[in-house]
Amino acid sequence: SYVLTQPPSVSVAPGQTASITCEGNNIGLTSVHWYQQKPGQAPVLVVYDDSDRPSEIPARFSGSNSGNTATLTISRVEAGDEADYYCQVWDSSSDHRYVFGTGSKVTVL
Amino acid sequence: EVRLLESGGGLVQPGGSLRLSCAGSGFMFSTYSMAWVRQAPGKGLEWVSLISGSGGHTFYADSVKGRFTVSRDNSDNTLYLQMSSLRVEDTAIYYCATAKGPLSDYFDFWGQGTLVTVS
């Protein structure tokens, strides 16, 4: 089955840039979606189709995808961005499966 | 405003059954594929099941195939997950979500979840 690997933790100072990677075999050939989950809350979609944002998500959140790595970038990080982040793909090769990454905890120092 | 409200969670013994419900409002329920995603305590997200807008197509993760059944009632804007032969490892918060995109390949709105404890 398809595996998506993320760093367990990312630390960043307020105002700086956080980059969260999502590694998978030839992930650049498929669309990647990203979710933010704060403690005790449901996940929220922050980026879809590699780099598009829902209208309510600030432009500080951006995404890219190429080769074997997709990246979620959070610019000008704020304390409120502290959360778990998950990447996700639809694995068309295995009878309609949805695969989530292992998750990354972003800590704002 | 899109709203998804799950219910039906609780404590059940191993081998038991439970039916979860998800009531949708604020959108054209019948036009959306709907999914169940779960999260075990302290763990990551795991997709469980998806059903097409009409209900004619259903898909399951290998971990629940043959034990869980997804269904929907578009006249009542409600999604269901019938869970049977429950195992300790099925303990999780179960979220319902709307599936979006040309391939219904991502989840744009989520409910707050309902906790299922198998013990």
Side-chain angles (χ1 to χ4, degrees):
Chain A
S1 61
Y2 196 68
V3 176
L4 296 175
T5 302
Q6 300 180 233
S9 62
V10 174
S11 298
V12 58
Q16 299 303 302
T17 298
S19 295
I20 306 160
T21 57
C22 175
E23 295 186 349
N25 187 41
N26 289 321
I27 196 173
L29 299 179
T30 191
S31 293
V32 179
H33 320 290
W34 292 89
Y35 304 88
Q36 175 194 69
Q37 187 180 32
K38 296 182 179 179
Q41 298 185 20
V44 172
L45 178 71
V46 293
V47 166
Y48 64 96
D49 290 347
D50 296 339
S51 59
D52 290 333
R53 284 177 291 106
S55 57
E56 65 274 17
I57 301 300
R60 301 184 297 104
F61 289 81
S62 62
S64 62
N65 183 21
S66 178
N68 292 318
T69 305
T71 303
L72 175 69
T73 301
I74 311 173
S75 304
R76 302 180 300 283
V77 167
E78 303 174 356
D81 298 331
E82 187 162 287
D84 293 326
Y85 290 84
Y86 295 91
C87 57
Q88 177 254 313
V89 302
W90 178 63
D91 182 10
S92 60
S93 68
S94 58
D95 189 27
H96 214 107
R97 294 285 184 271
Y98 299 84
V99 180
F100 286 94
T102 49
S104 297
K105 168 69 175 178
V106 169
T107 300
V108 181
L109 300 172
Chain B
E1 178 192 5
V2 173
R3 296 195 69 178
L4 297 170
L5 184 61
E6 302 93 337
S7 61
L11 175 64
V12 61
Q13 292 184 339
S17 299
L18 208 59
R19 189 177 83 156
L20 306 183
S21 300
C22 169
S25 61
F27 64 105
M28 291 279 288
F29 186 81
S30 63
T31 66
Y32 274 79
S33 292
M34 297 291 297
W36 289 99
V37 177
R38 69 184 181 183
Q39 185 171 36
K43 302 297 184 182
L45 301 171
E46 179 189 16
W47 169 73
V48 172
S49 182
L50 181 123
I51 185 168
S52 63
S54 67
H57 300 279
T58 57
F59 306 91
Y60 300 93
D62 289 341
S63 58
V64 306
K65 192 176 292 186
R67 300 187 299 121
F68 290 11
T69 301
V70 63
S71 62
R72 64 192 298 161
D73 181 350
N74 285 342
S75 67
D76 202 26
N77 290 356
T78 304
L79 172 72
Y80 300 100
L81 186 67
Q82 178 68 47
M83 305 184 294
S84 60
S85 302
L86 282 162
R87 305 167 179 167
V88 171
E89 55 265 34
D90 294 319
T91 295
I93 297 173
Y94 284 73
Y95 298 100
C96 65
T98 54
K100 194 73 181 294
L103 300 172
S104 295
D105 55 333
Y106 62 91
F107 311 115
D108 57 345
F109 292 105
W110 299 62
Q112 285 305 302
T114 187
L115 177 62
V116 172
T117 303
V118 184
S119 178

